[in-house]
Amino acid sequence: MAERCGWCGSEPIYVTYHDTEWGVPEYDSRALFEKLILDGFQAGLSWLTILRKREGFRAAFAGFDPEAIAGWGEADVARLLADPGIVRHRGKIEGAIGNARAWCEIEAREGFSDYLWRFVDGAPLQNDFASMAEVPAQTPRSQAMSKALKADGFKFCGPTIAYAFMQAVGMVNDHVLTCPRHAEVAALG
């Protein structure tokens, strides 16, 4: 019998995320911004923590509208630091605001989606890992993405965060071969 990727366990919110979102190719620039910001907030925490607070983040961060967030200042940082619906970390909050400004520049220059998808030549990479132990924490492609994002002003986007992001938005299919989602996600690419 096929088994899901071991990382999702049996927590319902995790299982739903695994079965409906993780690894599905995403090309919308705003949705990619949201996921990258949430991955940055995850640094040092579990993804389950972020999933449980995702709706709070969406409400607090104006639906992850980068153009709105880019205009925020210290009053907004103070508001967010007081919001129990999100992870209240000054550096990550200020980083998200700066990342929104960087997103606006990239979006105007070439489109954020095109900018990110170039790291996999525009199409999802199909991996064939037999177990989670084979899945890397980062790759040369995630290192290159991280370096480029940082050069363009992004924060909280190291190579490990970049790889987790690439997995989540379907740039790489890292569902293990025993997982029923492996073939389903591969068919989407």
Side-chain angles (χ1 to χ4, degrees), residues 64-145:
F64 286 99
D65 177 349
E67 292 172 345
I69 297 167
W72 289 0
E74 186 54 40
D76 297 289
V77 172
R79 172 183 56 82
L80 293 166
L81 285 170
D83 188 336
I86 67 168
V87 172
R88 296 176 286 183
H89 182 286
R90 178 176 285 277
K92 292 176 181 181
I93 290 168
E94 290 173 345
I97 294 169
N99 290 353
R101 294 175 183 141
W103 180 94
C104 289
E105 291 179 17
I106 295 168
E107 182 69 11
R109 184 177 73 222
E110 62 189 285
F112 193 62
S113 181
D114 290 344
Y115 172 90
L116 292 172
W117 276 91
R118 71 183 162 128
F119 292 98
V120 292
D121 300 323
L125 302 176
Q126 302 300 323
N127 290 324
D128 58 356
F129 299 120
S131 73
M132 293 307 298
E134 295 177 33
V135 180
Q138 59 180 272
T139 65
R141 289 176 192 256
S142 75
Q143 292 164 358
M145 178 186 285

Side-chain angles (χ1 to χ4, degrees), residues 132-165:
M132 293 307 298
E134 295 177 33
V135 180
Q138 59 180 272
T139 65
R141 289 176 192 256
S142 75
Q143 292 164 358
M145 178 186 285
S146 172
K147 183 177 180 180
L149 284 164
K150 288 177 181 179
D152 280 315
F154 273 78
K155 297 195 177 353
F156 292 96
C157 60
T160 300
I161 289 173
Y163 194 67
F165 167 79

